[in-house]
Structures are given as C-alpha cells and as structure tokens.
Amino acid sequence: MKLFNHVSFLHVCFSRRIYQDCPSPDLETQTKNTEGSEDCKDQGKWKIGDLVMTPGLKYAQPNTQQGRTDVNSVTNWNVPLVWEGTFDPVVIDEIYREMDPRIAVVVFAVGKYTRFLKGFLETGEKFFFIGFRVTYYIFTDNEKEVPKIEMGTGRNITILSVPPASRWQDVVLGRMKWATVSIEQRIRNEADYLFMMDIDSIFYNRFGAESLSRLSAVLHRAYYKNTPRDSFPYERRPLSKAYIPAGEGDYYYTAAVWGGYLEEMYKLVKYCYEQSQEDAKNNIEAVWQEESHLNRYLLYNKPTKVLSPEYLWSDYDKVSADIKVIRISQLVKNYAEVRPNGGN
Ligand SMILES: CC(=O)N[C@H]1[C@@H](OP(=O)(O)OP(=O)(O)OC[C@H]2O[C@@H](n3ccc(=O)[nH]c3=O)[C@H](O)[C@@H]2O)O[C@H](CO)[C@H](O)[C@@H]1O
Ligand SMILES: [Mn+2]
C-alpha cells in the first residue's frame, strides 16, 4: 500500500505525453543513466514542485508571529491544512501561473443531475482557478441538456457520453470507472492536475492555486471539528476492501471534491474502481461507496495538502465561526426526486 513512498524523494516532471518520476538535478548528476532523466531534461519549461516567483512582485510581507490561531493549519504529518488566512492569493497564484498548468475538472451529470450544470459552470467561471487553463469534462447520459455557457479564455468544456443508471450508487461508483478509462484514453494527454467534483454545488468565492498539490483532499464539513475517529462513517465491515478498524483514522474526507497531479489522481480513481470491483465480487458495497475507499486510501497514503471545509461547505448547514469563506457549497436538493432510486 505504500505506493507513494518513493515519490517524495523525487521530482515528478512531464514528458510531452506522460508524467514520469524524474531524479532531482542532484541525484541526476550522481546517477547518470537513471531511466527518465533524458525526458526530464527535454520536458520544457517547468517541473511540478517548482515554486518559482517572478522578481518584483508586490505583496504583503509574510509574518512568522501572526496568522490563524483559531484552527490548526498543519497536519501531524506536517503538510498544510488550508484555511482562509493561511496563504496569500497574490503570491500563490503568481507561482502557479508561472507554470501555467492545465487543470481538468471531472464532473458527472447523469439523469436529472444535468439541472445542476448551469449553476456549477457559471459560478465556476467566476471563481474556479481564474486566469488558469481549465477544462471541465462533463460525463452525461444526456448531451442535449448540457447548457451553453460562455467560457473565458483558455477555458473549455468537453462532453463525454456515459450510459444512464437505475441506481444512484451505480453513478457515484461508476465515476471511478469512467474517470479511469477516460484518463487512460484522453485526459492524460490534456491535463497536469485533475479534480473530481460533485455537480450539485455552487462556487461562492475564490477556489484557486492554494488547493494544488500532489494529492489534496477536503475535510467533510460534518465531521471536522469534534468527531472522535471511531465515530467517522468509515466502512466498518472487515469484508469490504474499504474497511478501517476502530482506533485508526486521521480525518473524514469528502469524495465530493478532491484533486492532485494527474497521475496521482489516476492511481487513486483506479484504486477506488478496483477495490469496489473486489467488493462487488464479494457481494458487498462500501457504506459510502467511493468515499469509503477514498478514506481508506488516504489514511495509509497521506495527502500532501488537506483543505478545510471552506472547499466544500453545504447550504444545509449554518456557517461555523472558523469558516471565514465558503468557496463552494453543496446545494439543498430533494434526494427522492432527483435520484433514479430515491434515497438519501
Ligand atoms: C458532500 C459529500 O460528501 N458528497 C458525497 C455524498 O454525496 P451526495 O449525497 O451529495 O451525493 P450526490 O447525490 O451528489 O451524488 C454524487 C454525484 O454523483 C453524480 N450523480 C449522482 C446520482 C445521479 O443520479 N446522477 C449523477 O450525476 C453527480 O455528479 C453528484 O453530484 O455521497 C456520495 C455517495 O457516497 C459521494 O461520495 C459524494 O461525493
Ligand atoms: Mn453531492
């Protein structure tokens, strides 16, 4: 399960078509014939992991004494826990704009969920990675229902066709299968970072480069504050591949927003797909479908950024004092009406 251990010691960089793990410049001079080093030299102007800033940028001086004190902004494996006030948008945008990454957003709108596309896309165009290259990959069983939205420069929509479903559980799990296949066939050649998102949401505020890392996951708003780990809604049946025993767990992450480097996301969606296939063979479905598999993965393969519930709040809930900004929020919906087989 320690899939990523090696990566932390290496720079990950691009070739024209695929990502490759490449030695850092230091390692490279020590180990001349390391596979991939030639591609790394050829790969163009930037490497993932570079944090290069243009000289002369004007921004507030960072302060080592002042900052958020009402929340913890670092995990116990020492990666950022991102809240409003823990980053300067001017600096972070400039650093990532320098790389000009291609950002893919994978969303599903199957059955009646096409009604959510307009709000998601229109508000995404106001708040999601403004000034960056973004492509929304919309997976739907009804192309005709995809609204025409005016897109900014460098921003696109790609529509991909998937079959209708009679169970909502099949749609949410199917996302892992279709995302795996589409990354392999197409998205891999078109994106550097990828986000998986629920469509039943609206952006209200900036959601930008501060969310980028190798693997970034969002704390589920319902369990982030006082919930003991044994009360997290993890899969608790040992028969399921998503099983997490009592006494273990860091956080409970939502499956409605997660993102990272394309190839890391590929590993993770494929993992969720394969684990759910194993479960199906054993006639079991994880309690929260792909969210359960995601949570198991992230417990044993720690994310490199944890995003606060600002990165997915809910119109159902009143806003806590520690949530200074709602960046995106889940809409109130009538589950029984909108899902093919009802339920909530
Ligand atoms: C906030 C949160 O934690 N969300 C999770 C929770 O979502 P929700 O209860 O918000 O699930 P949901 O109904 O939004 O379904 C997830 C997504 O699947 C798509 N969809 C679903 C049904 C359908 O008929 N057509 C369709 O297109 C659509 O993109 C939707 O946004 O539980 C789900 C199932 O375990 C997923 O883990 C969600 O990520
Ligand atoms: Mn949802």
Side-chain angles (χ1 to χ4, degrees):
M1 292 284 290
K2 294 190 173 168
L3 291 177
F4 295 153
N5 275 1
H6 66 294
V7 177
S8 55
F9 299 106
L10 302 172
H11 287 273
V12 178
C13 70
F14 299 114
S15 70
R16 262 178 298 280
R17 288 171 61 86
I18 53 164
Y19 287 73
Q20 292 186 333
D21 292 347
C22 298
S24 69
D26 291 340
L27 266 174
E28 205 176 321
T29 47
Q30 286 159 26
T31 53
K32 277 262 178 321
N33 295 321
T34 309
E35 202 185 329
S37 56
E38 285 307 312
D39 287 312
C40 285
K41 273 184 214 140
D42 289 341
Q43 49 85 32
K45 54 181 191 333
W46 63 276
K47 288 196 292 292
I48 278 184
D50 284 350
L51 297 177
V52 176
M53 194 186 84
T54 307
L57 184 73
K58 299 278 180 282
Y59 59 96
Q61 181 180 353
N63 192 312
T64 61
Q65 307 299 296
Q66 279 165 14
R68 290 288 292 259
T69 53
D70 58 333
V71 289
N72 190 352
S73 52
V74 65
T75 72
N76 67 357
W77 60 97
N78 205 23
V79 305
L81 212 172
V82 182
W83 306 84
E84 177 69 358
T86 62
F87 61 90
D88 182 339
V90 175
V91 179
I92 202 128
D93 275 358
E94 209 281 329
I95 289 170
Y96 283 89
R97 278 284 303 131
E98 189 78 10
M99 303 181 211
D100 199 19
R102 299 162 300 174
I103 295 160
V105 183
V106 166
V107 284
F108 280 68
V110 173
K112 294 183 178 171
Y113 281 64
T114 48
R115 69 177 62 168
F116 299 116
L117 282 164
K118 188 167 190 287
F120 181 91
L121 294 167
E122 280 182 352
T123 57
E125 285 310 279
K126 288 195 190 119
F127 298 115
F128 186 73
F129 281 94
I130 298 312
F132 287 80
R133 293 188 279 172
V134 172
T135 301
Y136 301 93
Y137 293 88
I138 299 172
F139 292 71
T140 184
D141 60 342
N142 192 352
E143 281 193 31
K144 288 202 269 341
E145 292 289 311
V146 178
K148 299 264 174 297
I149 306 288
E150 205 170 310
M151 306 295 289
T153 316
R155 304 176 71 98
N156 294 294
I157 288 178
T158 296
I159 302 171
L160 297 159
S161 180
V162 289
S166 52
R167 294 172 73 241
W168 63 265
Q169 294 89 339
D170 294 337
V171 182
V172 298
L173 274 176
R175 294 192 286 185
M176 304 302 108
K177 173 181 159 186
W178 295 115
T180 303
V181 171
S182 314
I183 293 169
E184 287 168 359
Q185 292 179 350
R186 161 166 207 169
I187 303 174
R188 172 170 281 152
N189 303 323
E190 300 176 354
D192 304 315
Y193 287 93
L194 181 140
F195 282 87
M196 299 288 299
M197 291 195 180
D198 271 20
I199 197 67
D200 57 337
S201 314
I202 294 277
F203 293 88
Y204 289 116
N205 275 293
R206 173 206 163 83
F207 183 137
E210 73 285 355
S211 66
L212 294 177
S213 82
R214 181 160 62 76
L215 199 52
S216 302
V218 176
L219 299 180
H220 195 299
R221 71 184 191 285
Y223 311 99
Y224 76 101
K225 227 189 274 205
N226 300 312
T227 310
R229 49 158 68 121
D230 287 353
S231 303
F232 289 153
Y234 291 152
E235 175 56 63
R236 300 301 188 179
R237 294 166 298 174
L239 182 59
S240 169
K241 290 285 177 191
Y243 172 62
I244 295 178
E248 294 193 40
D250 302 314
Y251 307 115
Y252 189 78
Y253 303 100
T254 176
V257 178
W258 38 303
Y261 296 170
L262 190 281
E263 289 300 333
E264 300 297 335
M265 287 295 286
Y266 172 67
K267 277 188 211 164
L268 183 40
V269 291
K270 190 160 177 247
Y271 168 92
C272 292
Y273 171 48
E274 289 173 352
Q275 299 294 85
S276 63
Q277 289 290 98
E278 283 299 308
D279 274 4
K281 278 188 210 151
N282 296 317
N283 289 314
I284 192 165
E285 184 177 87
V287 57
W288 288 108
Q289 293 78 33
E290 84 292 5
E291 191 168 87
S292 306
H293 295 290
L294 175 71
N295 271 278
R296 184 185 153 101
Y297 186 96
L298 293 173
L299 172 56
Y300 303 119
N301 307 270
K302 306 293 192 203
T304 45
K305 256 185 199 175
V306 175
L307 307 177
S308 68
E310 295 164 8
Y311 290 83
L312 188 66
W313 196 251
S314 160
D315 288 1
Y316 286 94
D317 295 329
K318 78 177 203 332
V319 184
S320 319
D322 49 17
I323 303 297
K324 308 287 182 207
V325 167
I326 296 173
R327 304 179 190 284
I328 176 169
S329 184
Q330 210 186 351
L331 291 164
V332 172
K333 66 178 185 285
N334 179 344
Y335 279 91
E337 192 267 325
V338 80
R339 285 175 161 177
N341 54 329
N344 59 36

